Amino acid sequence: DVVLTQTPVSLSVTLGDQASISCGSSQSLVYSDGNTYLKWYLQKPGQSPQLLIYEVSNRLSGVPDRFIGSGSGTDFTLKISRVEPEDLGVYYCFQATHDPWTFGGGTKLELK
Amino acid sequence: EVQLMETGGGLVQPGKALKLTCATSGFTFSTAWMNWVRQSPEKGLEWIARIKPKSTNYATEYAESVKGRFTISRDDSKSSIYLQMNSLKEEDTATYYCIGWFAYWGQGTLVTVSS
């Protein structure tokens, strides 16, 4: 199974700061069709996860442009510029390239 | 407005069965890849089952942890999917989420397997 390793496990920030979360994969996430099916989710307290980014760098409609996904192959990053209160929660990367699909362990973004 | 509503969770004894239902609305269900994902403090988020649309002959895929015990199915006429869970184990205790494509999530239903 593909193992997704997220770092850091927790991240303390001041509002307005930039936050950066890494997701490393045990295998390349490039699918046979050339796409890379790596997504990012945010789970706010008491809520279901919500999709932010799909295929590495594409923001879902309505997601602010302060969320930027990047990376390729086995190394991926989610950057949040100018963190706002509604950005707090647990971030997960997720791969849908290889069966079984797998999630990272999560990164908790909290206020310093 | 997109809505997904899971029902059927509850307390069940090890070895018993339970069936979850996810009723959806607000998106084109018939062409959607539908999934079940579960979340527990011990294992985090875990994808467990997928069913593709009729064009693929309703192809299914399962995580190894549930293969042979769980069955995912769908009824396009009701815009609903189901998860039949047999031979339940204590480690199946989790909140179970229904997901449409990758963007639409239900609120989850809690399954507790305990004697």
Side-chain angles (χ1 to χ4, degrees):
Chain A
D1 296 2
V2 172
V3 176
L4 297 180
T5 303
Q6 287 184 235
T7 56
V9 172
S10 65
L11 189 53
S12 296
V13 298
T14 301
L15 295 179
D17 278 357
Q18 175 176 279
S20 182
I21 301 169
S22 294
C23 176
S25 174
S26 60
Q27 299 179 36
S28 172
L29 297 183
V30 180
Y31 190 58
S32 54
D33 63 4
N35 290 319
T36 301
Y37 295 103
L38 186 283
K39 307 176 199 299
W40 289 96
Y41 288 91
L42 165 61
Q43 187 172 29
K44 299 181 183 180
Q47 296 185 19
S48 305
Q50 57 187 85
L51 181 64
L52 300 174
I53 303 281
Y54 61 96
E55 278 68 297
V56 181
S57 59
N58 298 281
R59 277 186 298 275
L60 201 67
S61 176
V63 173
D65 60 8
R66 62 177 182 275
F67 289 91
I68 300 171
S70 64
S72 63
T74 60
D75 294 299
F76 304 92
T77 302
L78 177 67
K79 283 187 166 59
I80 311 160
S81 59
R82 307 181 308 279
V83 170
E84 298 193 7
E86 59 265 31
D87 301 338
L88 303 179
V90 182
Y91 288 81
Y92 296 94
C93 56
F94 170 74
Q95 68 83 21
T97 294
H98 301 286
D99 277 322
W101 296 346
T102 51
F103 287 88
T107 295
K108 186 174 185 179
L109 183 66
E110 53 192 0
L111 285 180
K112 196 176 289 184
Chain B
E1 181 192 6
V2 172
Q3 291 190 324
L4 295 89
M5 176 71 72
E6 303 96 337
T7 55
L11 174 63
V12 62
Q13 292 180 327
K16 299 295 188 181
L18 204 61
K19 185 174 184 177
L20 305 182
T21 296
C22 172
T24 79
S25 63
F27 66 99
T28 307
F29 178 86
S30 61
T31 59
W33 290 30
M34 298 298 298
N35 299 270
W36 286 99
V37 164
R38 66 186 181 185
Q39 184 173 32
S40 65
E42 296 76 24
K43 296 183 186 177
L45 284 165
E46 180 186 17
W47 169 84
I48 58 171
R50 173 177 77 238
I51 186 164
K52 294 183 181 179
K54 184 178 181 181
S55 60
T56 70
N57 203 27
Y58 302 117
T60 59
E61 188 68 44
Y62 298 91
E64 204 60 41
S65 58
V66 306
K67 197 176 290 184
R69 298 187 300 124
F70 291 10
T71 302
I72 187 172
S73 60
R74 66 192 292 161
D75 184 338
D76 291 347
S77 69
K78 296 182 179 179
S79 297
S80 296
I81 65 167
Y82 309 93
L83 187 68
Q84 176 66 46
M85 304 185 292
N86 297 333
S87 304
L88 281 160
K89 306 175 181 179
E90 290 189 350
E91 51 263 43
D92 295 319
T93 294
T95 296
Y96 285 72
Y97 294 101
C98 160
I99 305 167
W101 293 111
F102 298 98
Y104 309 136
W105 290 61
Q107 85 292 342
T109 187
L110 178 62
V111 173
T112 303
V113 184
S114 175
S115 53

